Amino acid sequence: MFLALRVQVLNLLSLAIVSSASAQAVLGSKQPVEKSYTQSYAAPYDDGLFTPAEQLSTLSVNSFTTLSHPVFPNYSVRIKKSAFCDGTVNAYTGYIDIEARHLFFYFFESRNDPATDDVIFWTNGGPGCSSSLGLFMELGPCRVLTEHGATYHPESWNTNANIFFVDQPIGVGFSYADYGETVSTTEAAAKDIAAFVAIFFENFGQFKGRAFHMAGESYGGRYIPVFAAEVYDQNAKLAEAGLTPINLQSVMIGNGMTDYFTMSPSYIDMQCTAASVFPISSISSCVRMKQALPRCQKWTLESCINQYDAMSCGAARDFCDSELVEPFFATGMNPYDISKKCEGDPESLCYPVTKHIRNYLDRPSTRTLLGVDPAVSSNFSSCSGKVGLAFSNAQDSYHQTYTHISALLERGVRALIYVGTYDWICNWVGNERWTLQMPWTGQEAFVSQPLREWEVDGHVAGKTRSAGGFTFATIDRAGHMVPYDKPKEALVLVQRWLAKAEL
């Protein structure tokens, strides 16, 4: 019973822990072959076959405009104006088409100055959860938290930035494939995202050279470092073709699963000490967890990190999850906010308000407005269990991505790691640990900085440390979805980050 719950809850519900190998054996099925598309970089920019769209203002409300790119012949983008959500700015929706695969996206211009403000890419986690959760529940220009539909959100991140929300990978939200194709690894997903970013910036000259930031939460701790590294490395190929590189400035990760190895012991801290709230697990349960931890760490280190072996690593993580993760769910508490009980059905992510987002996106009028392809199912799902299981079968989460962050920092790309203190699944204790342990040239300077309080309107918002373009910050009394719980503090955090100001 717990194995089925693991797939339904841990994979389906935006959690960063994957289901066990035994759950894979029980519930897994043969996955379609994942295709890889090798791009040709030989096409010269001035061959007369490419005409950029130039300005977003030229786009139609009633039909899609198709964008191409000389470096990515297998990719195109359909985009249209979609007047919804925020009447004060221009909004756009569309699809990234990779032959038979199609990724849905939203784009909102900045409320301040879209002609000069930075651009933010946002993705939710899962793996398998739609970025409509970020858009309509957290940081977007409107929220859908009641049955009445979208309402204006004053603390949206597009207050001072242009922002994308992308349903990725294939099979998430309004994204789909024509012939059952799938993407089941972060590295494969990164190719699609990097190509999309290049196509958009090259087609709309108004954004060329604009500061670009990649952000996400939860499994975004795996996604974002890999996506950003792909965008950075791709720049060399763009330059070779005579195109403008992407001005990647930073990554921002909220409550991320970036290093599962350091997250494992943090579950004991969160459940058995007053790291955030009064201990929620029984003494006997905490004693057993502490006894199991050394074996968990030793087995994981040997089988997943020092020398990766899929079968052994899967078995190690099965053991760790059963001993360190399962006890939490016995408490009935919300894994995204340990100060509360879990509410609602499993698909609600312990937040019943998510049903309003699902219902809003199932309205025929909403889908027509957005330009959702008729091929997409009429039953919108916030998170795809099929996509989550595919990533689980590929053991995608068993690859640490702090190494990508280290490499980005060495190349001048800043990194912000922010964490709500009430989150359990991707908590502040585990995130702080890996930020302190990560090897890079600025490690000594970063570790030497004590945690200090940062404030919003004269009130303490959390604690932070920073050095060399690397910042760790907590947000007090916020859960997994920081912008939902603390929208004002989250916006101030991002505004200061974009302005390169000290928290």
Side-chain angles (χ1 to χ4, degrees):
M1 184 173 180
F2 174 67
L3 294 177
L5 180 65
R6 291 277 306 287
V7 172
Q8 188 177 37
V9 178
L10 297 187
N11 266 336
L12 175 63
L13 305 186
S14 184
L15 302 183
I17 300 295
V18 300
S19 60
S20 63
S22 52
Q24 294 168 24
V26 174
L27 299 175
S29 60
K30 230 181 226 185
Q31 300 296 313
V33 175
E34 184 174 313
K35 291 190 177 181
S36 174
Y37 300 99
T38 302
Q39 299 302 317
S40 167
Y41 297 96
Y45 181 68
D46 58 355
D47 62 4
L49 300 178
F50 172 66
T51 304
E54 294 297 351
Q55 297 293 323
L56 282 169
S57 59
T58 64
L59 300 179
S60 168
V61 175
N62 300 315
S63 61
F64 285 110
T65 296
T66 299
L67 313 177
S68 62
H69 194 288
V71 175
F72 304 99
N74 293 322
Y75 290 78
S76 61
V77 172
R78 287 174 279 162
I79 185 170
K80 66 182 284 291
K81 283 185 180 178
S82 296
F84 83 112
C85 194
D86 182 350
T88 69
V89 303
N90 291 320
Y92 306 87
T93 54
Y95 280 95
I96 307 154
D97 297 315
I98 313 104
E99 297 188 334
R101 296 182 284 137
H102 314 280
L103 295 171
F104 187 79
F105 69 91
Y106 308 80
F107 179 71
F108 297 92
E109 291 186 346
S110 170
R111 289 173 179 168
N112 175 51
D113 186 357
T116 62
D117 285 344
D118 295 4
V119 180
I120 297 175
F121 166 95
W122 173 270
T123 183
N124 278 78
C129 290
S130 167
S131 290
S132 64
L133 290 169
L135 167 53
F136 297 117
M137 186 177 175
E138 302 182 70
L139 58 134
C142 67
R143 284 180 163 184
V144 181
L145 303 182
T146 72
E147 61 185 10
H148 302 298
T151 57
Y152 183 86
H153 178 39
E155 284 105 2
S156 171
W157 287 14
N158 80 321
T159 299
N160 295 95
N162 304 281
I163 185 165
F164 288 103
F165 296 87
V166 182
D167 278 346
Q168 65 79 39
I170 297 302
V172 171
F174 289 140
S175 298
Y176 69 100
D178 295 332
Y179 306 110
E181 294 176 289
T182 63
V183 168
S184 59
T185 69
T186 296
E187 285 73 17
K191 300 287 185 184
D192 294 342
I193 296 303
F196 167 58
V197 169
I199 293 170
F200 184 86
F201 277 86
E202 190 61 38
N203 271 274
F204 299 109
Q206 66 201 88
F207 294 106
K208 280 189 178 182
R210 195 80 62 86
F212 182 57
H213 311 265
M214 303 196 79
E217 72 184 14
S218 192
Y219 207 77
R222 170 100 170 100
Y223 286 151
I224 292 300
V226 178
F227 290 4
E230 185 68 24
V231 168
Y232 187 94
D233 287 344
Q234 180 179 266
N235 274 342
K237 298 168 184 176
L238 296 178
E240 287 174 10
L243 304 175
T244 304
I246 305 304
N247 184 15
L248 179 64
Q249 288 287 302
S250 81
V251 293
M252 299 181 281
I253 300 171
N255 290 80
M257 181 59 76
T258 303
D259 179 12
Y260 66 93
F261 183 73
T262 56
M263 196 61 69
S264 293
S266 74
Y267 292 135
I268 299 176
D269 295 274
M270 294 300 291
Q271 294 169 230
C272 301
T273 76
S276 289
V277 298
F278 192 80
I280 61 174
S281 290
S282 67
I283 293 175
S284 60
S285 177
C286 290
V287 168
R288 182 180 174 93
M289 291 171 71
K290 290 178 180 178
Q291 291 173 336
L293 181 61
R295 179 181 175 187
C296 165
Q297 295 292 77
K298 181 176 183 293
W299 196 356
T300 299
L301 190 65
E302 292 173 350
S303 303
C304 305
I305 297 175
N306 289 346
Q307 185 171 344
Y308 183 79
D309 177 88
M311 186 174 291
S312 251
C313 180
R317 299 314 299 169
D318 284 350
F319 171 77
C320 296
D321 289 353
S322 65
E323 294 294 337
L324 306 180
V325 174
E326 183 177 356
F328 176 84
F329 289 95
T331 69
M333 302 303 288
N334 184 339
Y336 309 110
D337 187 336
I338 59 174
S339 69
K340 304 173 182 177
K341 287 282 188 179
C342 180
E343 298 180 55
D345 57 71
E347 194 175 355
S348 73
L349 312 174
C350 294
Y351 293 89
V353 295
T354 59
K355 70 180 180 182
H356 300 303
I357 298 173
R358 299 199 305 269
N359 292 340
Y360 175 71
L361 294 177
D362 266 338
R363 293 180 187 176
S365 59
T366 300
R367 294 190 173 211
T368 299
L369 184 63
L370 299 178
V372 176
D373 197 293
V376 177
S377 166
S378 59
N379 295 316
F380 184 85
S381 178
S382 297
C383 298
S384 167
K386 183 178 180 181
V387 171
L389 186 59
F391 271 72
S392 175
N393 288 341
Q395 296 190 349
D396 185 77
S397 74
Y398 299 160
H399 302 281
Q400 300 158 302
T401 48
Y402 67 79
T403 50
H404 294 73
I405 293 177
S406 171
L408 289 165
L409 286 167
E410 301 291 4
R411 289 157 178 79
V413 179
R414 298 182 298 140
L416 168 65
I417 310 300
Y418 67 91
V419 196
T421 59
Y422 281 172
D423 185 25
W424 172 79
I425 191 66
C426 300
N427 57 71
W428 75 268
V429 176
N431 271 289
E432 184 186 27
R433 279 183 178 142
W434 77 254
T435 62
L436 293 171
Q437 295 171 11
M438 180 181 70
W440 64 295
T441 55
Q443 183 181 19
E444 183 177 350
F446 181 78
V447 171
S448 68
Q449 295 294 318
L451 280 175
R452 63 171 180 81
E453 294 179 341
W454 67 282
E455 298 182 348
V456 174
D457 293 340
H459 300 286
V460 174
K463 295 182 178 180
T464 184
R465 69 162 49 88
S466 182
F470 189 37
T471 295
F472 170 80
T474 64
I475 298 86
D476 288 345
R477 297 178 299 282
H480 189 71
M481 293 172 278
V482 171
Y484 173 70
D485 293 319
K486 296 290 181 179
K488 185 175 184 179
E489 290 80 358
L491 177 58
V492 170
L493 176 76
V494 169
Q495 288 175 324
R496 292 177 186 173
W497 180 253
L498 296 183
K500 299 182 179 179
E502 189 178 73
L503 290 186

